[in-house]
Amino acid sequence: MAIPSIDVPRWDGPLPTRDEAAKMIDHSLLRPELTPADILAGLATALAYSTASVCVRPTDVKAAATALRGTPVAVGTVVAFPHGSGTTPTKVFETTELIALGADEIDMVIDIGRLRAGDTAFTQDEIAAVVEAAAGRPVKVIFENSYLTQEQKVAGYRAAESAGAAFVKTSTGFADGGATAQDIALMRRTVSPAVQIKAAGGVRTLDALLELNRLGATRFGATATAAILDDVEERRRLLDVR
């Protein structure tokens, strides 16, 4: 099911530079139909705009690491994506293998059903196991917020922080809901400043990115990277004209 773009008022605050905005974006290359040529084109886009990272499918990590070696663009990838249904040992194995192939950042999906059942100890232990396997690399924990109650979200975010996660993340972008302003605000209230927030799912405009950044998100999974960053350039050009 397609996730609608986030409906936000037009941003009227200070504009970041294009480079500043680019460092908030993980350029997403996760759709199942992408061909090797599509992946290479996506990597070229990320490199041209100097995004914080690309987020690629596990099968594309080796190619991405080769193409981006020596550049400022990090290679991110996903574990147990998109359903989170793998066992903890499987998630640990995936993490270890993907780091060996060149991944710099790991976005893992929790076992959503176990958190919904109230088993926060399992959630924390699972995240901690992946964090350990990541050996110091940032782990971003995906909660798929649209499936969770507010109480389940809060419990999950706290478990992620206790387990050593670097980020809490709203969604995979493949469920029936993505990032919302309400969830970003809740995440920011729940975790300490030591934990960052990644918004994913429906962040397709500069206004959406800026509004969610104002609420506390510091990283964004996006496929509309070029459009968002070109909009920054155009708005800054118009401001300079005035």
Side-chain angles (χ1 to χ4, degrees):
M1 179 178 179
I3 299 171
S5 296
I6 298 165
D7 184 18
V8 296
R10 189 171 182 82
W11 180 259
D12 60 1
L15 281 174
T17 65
R18 193 186 84 166
D19 287 347
E20 289 169 340
K23 291 308 178 189
M24 302 180 199
I25 293 177
D26 293 343
H27 185 51
S28 179
L29 299 168
L30 296 172
R31 295 197 312 272
E33 76 275 15
L34 296 178
T35 66
D38 294 329
I39 296 298
L40 290 176
L43 298 178
T45 296
L47 189 55
Y49 287 94
S50 196
T51 58
S53 80
V54 291
C55 193
V56 298
R57 302 169 305 194
T59 190
D60 303 312
V61 167
K62 186 175 181 180
T66 299
L68 297 175
R69 186 174 295 122
T71 77
V73 180
V75 176
T77 191
V78 288
V79 164
F81 192 86
H83 297 135
S85 305
T87 64
T88 299
T90 299
K91 293 178 184 182
V92 167
F93 176 83
E94 279 190 87
T95 301
T96 302
E97 180 185 31
L98 293 169
I99 287 170
L101 290 171
D104 301 304
E105 301 181 350
I106 298 293
D107 291 34
M108 67 162 289
V109 187
I110 63 163
D111 186 321
I112 300 162
R114 294 292 285 266
L115 180 58
R116 281 169 53 90
D119 195 349
T120 53
F122 178 92
T123 301
Q124 182 171 325
D125 289 347
E126 177 180 64
I127 297 167
V130 171
V131 168
E132 182 178 4
R137 292 156 181 86
V139 173
K140 305 168 196 168
V141 181
I142 306 173
F143 285 94
E144 210 69 279
N145 283 331
S146 63
Y147 296 144
L148 304 174
T149 66
Q150 179 152 318
E151 292 75 17
Q152 290 162 355
K153 294 171 190 175
V154 168
Y157 306 154
R158 289 175 176 164
E161 178 161 15
S162 295
F167 288 78
V168 288
K169 179 176 171 182
T170 59
S171 41
T172 63
F174 287 84
D176 56 357
T180 68
Q182 293 79 8
D183 279 339
I184 297 300
L186 177 63
M187 288 171 144
R188 189 66 282 159
R189 290 196 304 270
T190 302
V191 297
S192 77
V195 180
Q196 296 187 63
I197 296 167
K198 179 173 174 179
V203 184
R204 300 191 181 105
T205 67
L206 175 59
D207 292 308
L209 182 149
L210 292 173
E211 174 65 8
L212 296 184
N213 175 250
R214 183 183 68 81
L215 293 169
T218 53
R219 197 76 72 87
F220 299 87
T223 57
T225 300
I228 291 169
L229 296 177
D230 288 348
D231 194 11
V232 175
E233 288 279 84
E234 177 63 13
R235 294 195 203 184
R236 291 183 68 87
R237 184 188 69 79
L238 294 173
L239 287 171
D240 287 343
V241 168
R242 290 198 295 271

